[in-house]
């Protein structure tokens, strides 16, 4: 039919741009054409996987100027329904950089913002605990949680080592949450290739072995097997003996 002939397939792609048209062979199937920052295409291009050579940077997480922009860049906000964001009455009481984000919590409300980190490296978080209350900065995943509390009103800096999937969370109870900056130092991932170790030599039974003695060995050619090519140069090492017999050549 005309509808079947002219219909366009649209694929799905989490953390990336889905394929469509001729690039999407089956409608609704996973297939990606590109990936968001911090991800890379899988070998079969069916999904975007975390790129271990990249990690979140300040530009990836927004410049902290507004709640809306931070949400678009990956921040999640909790209990902000009654919060006062960047209230003017606190401007003269907060020691903060111009691109900082701050919000005053409602009475008996615990504000929280969090984001999931990508790659690996070190993250440094600058916060200020203003106007009472307590601010907490933590890094967590399904296996562990590391948290630091800040009670003083001067700017504080907290540092964590992180891996992909770790969640960075900043909370404030009963005061003003001030997030000054989030900086990253990313690890460089390198790949090295190591030769497979040689198999250990089998023990030699002196009573039944017909292996030639060292002095009778006719040549220094590399030993071969019936199933494959030469194994390469072999260095013979004399082992101490207690019987007085010449040492047997071993690999």
């Amino acid at each position: 039919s005309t509808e079947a002939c002219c219909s366009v397939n649209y694929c799905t792609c989490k953390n990336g741009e889905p394929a469509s048209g001729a690039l999407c062979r089956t409608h609704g199937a996973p297939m990606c054409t590109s990936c968001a920052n911090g991800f890379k295409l899988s070998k079969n291009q069916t999904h975007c996987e975390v790129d271990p050579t990249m990690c979140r940077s300040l530009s990836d997480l927004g410049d902290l100027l507004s709640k809306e922009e931070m949400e678009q860049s990956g921040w999640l906000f909790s209990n902000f329904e009654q919060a006062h964001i960047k209230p003017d009455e606190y401007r003269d009481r907060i020691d903060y950089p111009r691109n900082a984000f701050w919000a005053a919590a409602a009475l008996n409300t615990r504000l929280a913002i969090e984001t999931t980190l990508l790659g690996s490296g070190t993250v440094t978080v600058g916060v200020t605990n203003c106007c009472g209350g307590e601010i907490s900065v933590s890094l967590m995943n399904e296996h562990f949680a590391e948290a630091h509390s800040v009670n003083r009103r001067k700017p504080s800096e907290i540092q964590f080592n992180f891996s992909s999937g770790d969640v960075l969370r900043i909370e404030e109870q009963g005061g003003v949450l001030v997030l000054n900056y989030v900086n990253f130092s990313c690890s460089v991932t390198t790949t090295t290739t190591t030769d497979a170790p040689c198999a250990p030599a089998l023990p030699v039974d002196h009573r039944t072995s017909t292996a030639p003695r060292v002095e009778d060995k006719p040549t220094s050619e590399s030993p071969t097997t019936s199933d494959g090519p030469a194994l390469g140069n072999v260095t013979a090492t004399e082992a101490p003996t207690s019987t007085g017999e010449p040492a047997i050549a071993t690999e």
Side-chain angles (χ1 to χ4, degrees):
S1 65
T2 303
E3 182 179 355
C5 174
C6 300
S7 61
V8 178
N9 289 340
Y10 292 94
C11 286
T12 61
C13 179
K14 185 178 181 180
N15 300 314
E17 186 69 25
S20 61
L23 298 177
C24 178
R25 297 182 179 180
T26 303
H27 182 73
M31 183 62 65
C32 304
T33 58
S34 62
C35 297
N37 189 32
F39 294 85
K40 64 178 182 177
L41 282 172
S42 62
K43 290 184 178 180
N44 57 8
Q45 298 185 356
T46 58
H47 64 281
C48 292
E49 57 192 25
V50 173
D51 185 349
T53 65
M54 300 182 65
C55 69
R56 290 275 195 175
S57 65
L58 184 59
S59 59
D60 296 327
L61 294 177
D63 58 9
L64 312 181
L65 289 178
S66 70
K67 176 176 178 289
E68 291 74 20
E69 184 172 347
M70 291 174 66
E71 287 177 325
Q72 291 177 4
S73 61
W75 289 98
L76 300 177
F77 288 74
S78 300
N79 301 324
F80 270 75
E81 294 79 9
Q82 304 298 322
H84 300 285
I85 298 177
K86 295 192 174 182
D88 291 336
E89 60 265 32
Y90 293 103
R91 288 184 181 274
D92 297 333
R93 302 170 61 183
I94 300 175
D95 184 9
Y96 61 91
R98 294 186 62 182
N99 65 337
F101 173 84
W102 75 93
L107 185 64
N108 298 323
T109 301
R110 190 174 187 86
L111 299 180
I113 59 176
E114 67 178 48
T115 187
T116 301
L117 305 181
L118 302 175
S120 62
T122 302
V123 57
T124 304
V125 184
V127 295
T128 302
N129 182 48
C130 170
C131 317
E134 180 181 87
I135 192 168
S136 173
V137 183
S138 59
L139 188 77
M140 65 189 77
N141 60 30
E142 59 182 0
H143 302 296
F144 82 99
E146 180 182 353
H148 296 269
S149 297
V150 178
N151 296 311
R152 60 180 183 173
R153 297 189 179 185
K154 294 182 179 180
S156 300
E157 189 173 86
I158 300 169
Q159 193 172 84
F160 300 99
N161 293 323
F162 72 92
S163 300
S164 285
D166 290 351
V167 175
L168 176 65
R169 184 177 178 90
I170 300 102
E171 301 175 273
E172 172 68 49
Q173 175 73 47
V176 178
L177 183 156
V178 184
L179 176 58
N180 297 321
Y181 55 84
V182 181
N183 294 330
F184 291 86
S185 175
C186 303
S187 300
V188 178
T189 302
T190 58
T191 303
T192 58
T193 302
T194 304
D195 293 336
C198 297
L202 296 175
V204 177
D205 189 338
H206 291 267
R207 296 170 299 176
T208 60
S209 174
T210 57
R213 298 177 184 272
V214 173
E215 63 270 23
D216 297 332
K217 193 171 183 179
T219 67
S220 59
E221 293 181 355
S222 299
T224 60
T225 66
S226 58
D227 297 327
L231 298 177
N233 294 330
V234 177
T235 302
T237 304
E238 291 188 357
T241 60
S242 59
T243 60
E245 296 180 359
I248 303 300
T250 61
E251 293 185 9

